[in-house]
Amino acid sequence: MVEEPRGLTAAEVAERVARGDVNADVDVKTRSIKQIVLENICTLFNAINVILAVFVLITGSYKNMLFMIVIACNVVIGIVQEIRSKITTDRLSIVAGSHATVVRDGERVEVPLHEIVRDDLIMLGRGDQVPADAVVVSGVADVNESLLTGESNLIKKAEGAELMSGSFVNAGTVRARVVHVGHENYAAKISAEAKQHKKVNSEIMNSLNRIIKFVSFVIFPVGALLFVRQFFSGEGVELNNAILSTVAALVGMIPEGLILLTSTVLAVAVIRLAKSKVLVQQLYCIETLARVDTLCLDKTGTITTGAMEVASIETVDGADEAELCRALASLAAADEDPNETAQAVAEHCAAGGFEPLPASRVVPFSSDKKWSGAAFGDRAYVMGAGKFVLGDAFAVVEEQAAALAATARVLLVARVEGFDEDGGIVGAPVPLGFVAIHDQIRSTAAETIGYFKDQGVTVNVISGDDPRTVAGIAAQVGVDGADAYVDATTLETPEQVAEAVERYHVFGRVKPEQKKQFVVALQKRGHVVAMTGDGVNDTLALKQADCSVAMAAGSDAARNVAQLVLVDNDFASMPKVVAEGRRSINNLQRSASLFLVKTLLSMTLAVLFVLLPWQYPFQPIQMTLISAFTIGIPSFVLALEPNKDRIRGRFLENVIVKSIPGAVCAVLAVLTVNVVGRLALGFDYGQVSTLCVLLTAWVGAMLIVRLSVPFTPIRTALLVVVVGGTVLGATLLHGLFGIVPFTLEMTVLFVACAVGVAAVFHWLYGVFGRWHGARLAKMA
């Protein structure tokens, strides 16, 4: 009689705890909430605006501080989004469980996972997740490592076999000795890398940051020169007026509303996608996915559902199909602890109406025999690997098995005379046929992959499964080049990986670290890469990708590290995400040009009025009027309209091209009013300022007209609101916005300038539009 293992003693456990050999979770700490709040508040962008607000406060003109409302909104949105991201990241835990059964002092006890120590003897049965890397001491079990390796087949683990933390016991019972704890565990190493803070790769964000950095570089020297020039000009400009004029110039340089617009548009996209059961965990990933040109798919859980199904049942020459189906139904029903394969066979046979025979004896599957069997009265059947069942006789049916194996896992079914006392086969097995089993392919997979192909996106399938199986499934769903596949175990150097990902589109036997290498290699070649997956083996690649998508039914690790989570586990939701991204980005590009007109105008005028002998013709409150009706309201309306056009060109270039005509015309109008109004007509500051404000609004309205073509009822209503709001501000609220009554001379000058800049604007808009269109065509 074999003595029951005693496991560790209490003293040995205490000794290991003392030296730190405990299965504690070694987290990579994310930023604290305090750090997130401080980093969002203490930015150069906010500092500039606060300094400007302080100067306005000194003058006592509180109405000119309204621009700080936008700054506050930016800060709040940024903090909320980052705290939300921190919470999801902190939940990242690959090993999900609370207790494990260990043997200590000869007794089985349950302990929390974090109290397991090195060399503990743990008991694992069906459905248990392996809490720490261990080595099997006794027993046999089928282990599912798909979340770690991506290979969907069950792995037989017997004495001496390694168990990886994060894998699941599918059938059987084993005792295993813990060899790694805490950060040494396989799953912990992946989790630690996945938790590293990743910088968002967003072209819009990067473009906005470049604008802000440039403005920050010039704003203070230009502001100082402008203030000195006005206050010491000898024209009698008071200190408060000089400050307000300077602040108006500097506030106009900063596109603070554009940042708020971007956050708002993407937040609306998040809400829309949530209705389609898509969880967005990082705002800017919507933009990134809209720009993706390469999509890397994990097979299991993405193209396939993760469930097993019978692909086909084929008889060998001379065998009876009815007997084959009856044998399959009986073998599946006889399995007392059916795994996913047996369950798939049972479901298929039940659907076919085949009643199983009652079993008189069952021979369970073993890793040595690689088959299972059962006796049913006067007959007996076995099912398993063909070579192990038939031996040399397998050569007769090997070609038929190989053909089926191209897309599925193939098991042979044979009739036998019976079994001996040790469970061995008696007599020569007679083959009846084969059952081919594969992962269930999603019904929408082919259509979804077809969509991406139509959009010019290259689709790569990267899996831990046998490359022949992966290639077969890829071919069924329409992946280009599926007939040429690569066994990733043959790729040993980064150079080989880089060459393979550029030439091939189907990869099998891919290790988790190789998936990340594939993504890196594609990114180095200039591709924008999206990665989808559902297992721990996908986590590193998901973290590396420009846009990462996980299935809700997958591992916690994959869900929490991904930027997008498909709640309904349906890959068919991806086109909706791409469409939403396109709507957001195309509309943002269109609306952003309105903001850049103000930025370019303010920067140019600030420099010019350092040289000109007159006071800067705008006050902060007047910039608020222009921003509200010719920039703010129109940009938000235009940014939320339907738009499914492909993303073309670079964000900043697309925006500036549409901004330059408006900025140039606004600058010409302001200079004309100052030169003619002050030198020829003798206008005072109030009259000049009024004309400059209204002519700038006029240029903004012309840009809105060009951006609104072709007109829709909403766009027509928008133009009415823009014109009506500006007129209302200039008449009924003229005191608030510093607008003085028109004289005949002012009216004549306004009409002349309005007609002139209209002609110049439409000419410039056409010239730049044709140049940019030709450039985009060349890039394509």
Side-chain angles (χ1 to χ4, degrees):
M1 183 175 178
V2 180
E3 185 179 348
E4 178 81 10
R6 293 189 56 80
L8 297 178
T9 65
E12 289 171 331
V13 171
E15 177 188 350
R16 284 161 175 75
V17 171
R19 64 173 184 246
D21 287 344
V22 186
N23 198 42
D25 180 25
V26 184
D27 281 336
V28 176
K29 301 300 181 184
T30 56
R31 293 177 298 166
S32 66
I33 292 179
K34 179 180 179 181
Q35 287 177 310
I36 291 174
V37 171
L38 289 177
E39 288 177 13
N40 275 275
I41 293 177
C42 303
T43 65
L44 179 61
F45 174 75
N46 291 342
I48 293 172
N49 282 282
V50 169
I51 292 172
L52 297 179
V54 169
F55 280 116
V56 174
L57 185 64
I58 292 173
T59 68
S61 182
Y62 305 120
K63 67 181 181 180
N64 283 296
M65 293 178 63
L66 291 177
F67 65 90
M68 286 302 295
I69 295 176
V70 175
I71 308 305
C73 292
N74 286 334
V75 171
V76 170
I77 291 176
I79 290 174
V80 169
Q81 288 299 326
E82 290 204 36
I83 290 178
R84 184 172 178 268
S85 176
K86 167 189 166 57
I87 291 172
T88 56
T89 302
D90 286 345
R91 290 178 183 153
L92 179 56
S93 177
I94 293 173
V95 180
S98 55
H99 292 81
T101 301
V102 301
V103 179
R104 290 180 179 175
D105 290 318
E107 300 290 335
R108 296 188 183 187
V109 295
E110 283 198 351
V111 299
L113 298 186
H114 64 271
E115 292 184 8
I116 294 174
V117 299
R118 195 188 308 275
D119 299 323
D120 249 331
L121 191 65
I122 57 177
M123 308 296 296
L124 297 169
R126 183 181 180 189
D128 289 338
Q129 188 176 28
V130 180
D133 295 348
V135 174
V136 176
V137 174
S138 63
V140 178
D142 291 332
V143 176
N144 184 339
E145 296 179 345
S146 63
L147 290 180
L148 297 170
T149 65
E151 188 169 347
S152 55
N153 294 336
L154 297 176
I155 310 298
K156 186 66 63 174
K157 300 288 184 177
E159 183 177 346
E162 295 181 355
L163 297 174
M164 289 188 290
S165 55
S167 58
F168 285 89
V169 176
N170 187 271
T173 303
V174 294
R175 294 188 183 90
R177 184 78 63 186
V178 173
V179 293
H180 293 147
V181 291
H183 65 275
E184 297 176 352
N185 282 319
Y186 180 81
K189 291 177 181 178
I190 296 179
S191 179
E193 184 169 345
K195 281 190 176 184
Q196 296 288 350
H197 181 66
K198 174 186 173 183
K199 183 180 179 182
V200 177
N201 181 21
S202 163
E203 186 180 335
I204 291 180
M205 180 185 289
N206 294 338
S207 298
L208 294 179
N209 287 337
R210 283 198 292 271
I211 293 172
I212 292 170
K213 286 180 181 178
F214 178 75
V215 170
S216 302
F217 179 75
V218 303
I219 193 168
F220 288 115
V222 170
L225 290 174
L226 182 61
F227 172 77
V228 170
R229 178 68 187 83
Q230 292 184 109
F231 187 59
F232 297 102
S233 64
E235 284 195 341
V237 179
E238 296 181 357
L239 175 63
N240 286 352
N241 289 334
I243 290 175
L244 291 176
S245 295
T246 302
V247 170
L250 303 187
V251 168
M253 294 183 191
I254 308 170
E256 71 281 349
L258 179 55
I259 298 174
L260 177 60
L261 174 67
T262 302
S263 299
T264 303
V265 168
L266 294 180
V268 170
V270 169
I271 295 171
R272 286 180 172 176
L273 288 173
K275 295 179 180 178
S276 298
K277 297 184 179 180
V278 177
L279 173 62
V280 179
Q281 301 194 129
Q282 205 289 319
L283 272 182
Y284 285 88
C285 70
I286 298 173
E287 171 210 352
T288 309
L289 186 57
R291 298 183 185 279
V292 160
D293 61 20
T294 304
L295 176 63
C296 295
L297 304 176
D298 175 49
K299 176 184 71 68
T300 306
T302 303
I303 297 177
T304 64
T305 63
M308 305 300 289
E309 69 175 357
V310 174
S312 63
I313 295 175
E314 287 190 11
T315 59
V316 298
D317 288 343
D320 180 55
E321 183 177 355
E323 182 182 7
L324 172 60
C325 293
R326 177 81 65 184
L328 278 170
S330 302
L331 286 169
D335 195 332
E336 297 176 353
D337 189 15
N339 56 25
E340 291 179 351
T341 299
Q343 292 171 9
V345 171
E347 290 176 7
H348 181 83
C349 293
F354 293 97
E355 292 293 332
L357 300 170
S360 56
R361 182 183 178 188
V362 177
V363 179
F365 181 92
S366 75
S367 57
D368 295 329
K369 300 192 299 283
K370 294 194 181 300
W371 54 263
S372 61
F376 308 93
D378 60 348
R379 69 189 72 183
Y381 299 104
V382 296
M383 177 172 66
K387 289 182 179 180
F388 286 82
V389 173
L390 298 180
D392 294 338
F394 180 66
V396 178
V397 294
E398 187 172 7
E399 185 176 344
Q400 184 179 1
L404 291 171
T407 60
R409 179 188 178 197
V410 179
L411 300 175
L412 174 79
V413 181
R415 184 194 318 120
V416 297
E417 295 178 13
F419 308 98
D420 58 26
E421 292 183 1
D422 297 326
I425 295 176
V426 175
V430 178
L432 298 177
F434 299 96
V435 56
I437 300 173
H438 66 189
D439 286 346
Q440 186 180 63
I441 297 176
R442 295 184 184 276
S443 59
T444 55
E447 181 182 352
T448 305
I449 288 175
Y451 167 83
F452 281 104
K453 287 166 58 179
D454 292 341
Q455 301 304 313
V457 177
T458 301
V459 178
N460 293 337
V461 181
I462 301 175
S463 174
D465 269 352
D466 185 299
R468 294 176 303 171
T469 303
V470 179
I473 291 177
Q476 289 183 60
V477 296
V479 174
D480 289 337
D483 55 331
Y485 54 83
V486 177
D487 186 333
T489 59
T490 64
L491 305 177
E492 299 177 352
T493 66
E495 292 74 21
Q496 289 176 327
V497 169
E499 183 180 356
V501 296
E502 197 67 21
R503 294 178 55 195
Y504 298 95
H505 302 299
V506 177
F507 302 86
R509 301 293 186 207
V510 185
K511 297 179 181 178
E513 57 271 19
Q514 283 183 310
K515 289 191 176 186
K516 178 182 176 181
Q517 291 173 5
F518 288 175
V519 174
V520 170
L522 288 166
Q523 290 172 328
K524 285 183 177 179
R525 290 176 178 259
H527 295 290
V528 181
V529 184
M531 174 73 195
T532 71
D534 68 340
V536 175
N537 62 304
D538 303 314
T539 304
L540 299 183
L542 288 169
K543 190 71 175 180
Q544 179 64 39
D546 297 296
C547 183
S548 51
V549 185
M551 302 293 172
S555 69
D556 288 342
R559 285 199 308 271
N560 288 312
V561 78
Q563 297 164 330
L564 289 166
V565 177
L566 306 182
V567 178
D568 57 359
N569 303 302
D570 191 353
F571 181 56
S573 300
M574 291 286 284
K576 296 179 184 176
V577 182
V578 174
E580 192 61 40
R582 288 180 174 178
R583 183 198 61 78
S584 301
I585 308 314
N586 282 319
N587 288 340
L588 272 174
Q589 286 183 161
R590 181 170 57 183
S591 298
S593 58
L594 296 170
F595 289 93
L596 264 294
V597 166
K598 187 187 73 167
T599 297
L600 295 174
L601 167 67
S602 298
M603 292 182 67
T604 305
L605 290 181
V607 173
L608 289 176
F609 275 86
V610 169
L611 306 175
L612 295 173
W614 305 304
Q615 183 179 352
Y616 190 81
F618 296 102
Q619 299 291 308
I621 190 65
Q622 293 172 333
M623 296 305 295
T624 301
L625 174 65
I626 294 172
S627 296
F629 288 104
T630 64
I631 299 175
I633 295 174
S635 64
F636 274 86
V637 172
L638 294 175
L640 297 176
E641 285 197 312
N643 193 325
K644 295 183 180 180
D645 297 337
R646 289 190 185 184
I647 306 295
R648 303 176 62 203
R650 312 297 293 180
F651 177 81
L652 194 55
E653 179 182 306
N654 293 344
V655 171
I656 289 179
V657 163
K658 286 185 170 59
S659 303
I660 290 177
V664 169
C665 290
V667 169
L668 291 176
V670 170
L671 291 179
T672 301
V673 167
N674 275 271
V675 172
V676 176
R678 287 182 179 272
L679 298 181
L681 302 176
F683 288 168
D684 59 21
Y685 175 79
Q687 292 173 313
V688 169
S689 177
T690 295
L691 289 175
C692 288
V693 170
L694 296 180
L695 283 170
T696 302
W698 166 249
V699 172
M702 288 192 295
L703 180 56
I704 293 170
V705 169
R706 294 304 297 255
L707 294 176
S708 298
V709 175
F711 272 90
T712 63
I714 292 179
R715 295 177 183 180
T716 303
L718 171 63
L719 189 59
V720 171
V721 171
V722 168
V723 175
T726 304
V727 171
L728 178 65
T731 54
L732 297 181
L733 301 175
H734 63 91
L736 174 64
F737 294 108
I739 305 297
V740 301
F742 265 62
T743 63
L744 178 61
E745 291 83 356
M746 289 175 65
T747 303
V748 171
L749 182 57
F750 176 83
V751 172
C753 287
V755 172
V757 296
V760 174
F761 172 81
H762 291 295
W763 175 73
L764 282 177
Y765 199 90
V767 170
F768 276 91
R770 288 189 294 273
W771 173 83
H772 189 229
R775 178 174 169 80
L776 290 178
K778 186 177 180 180
M779 290 173 62

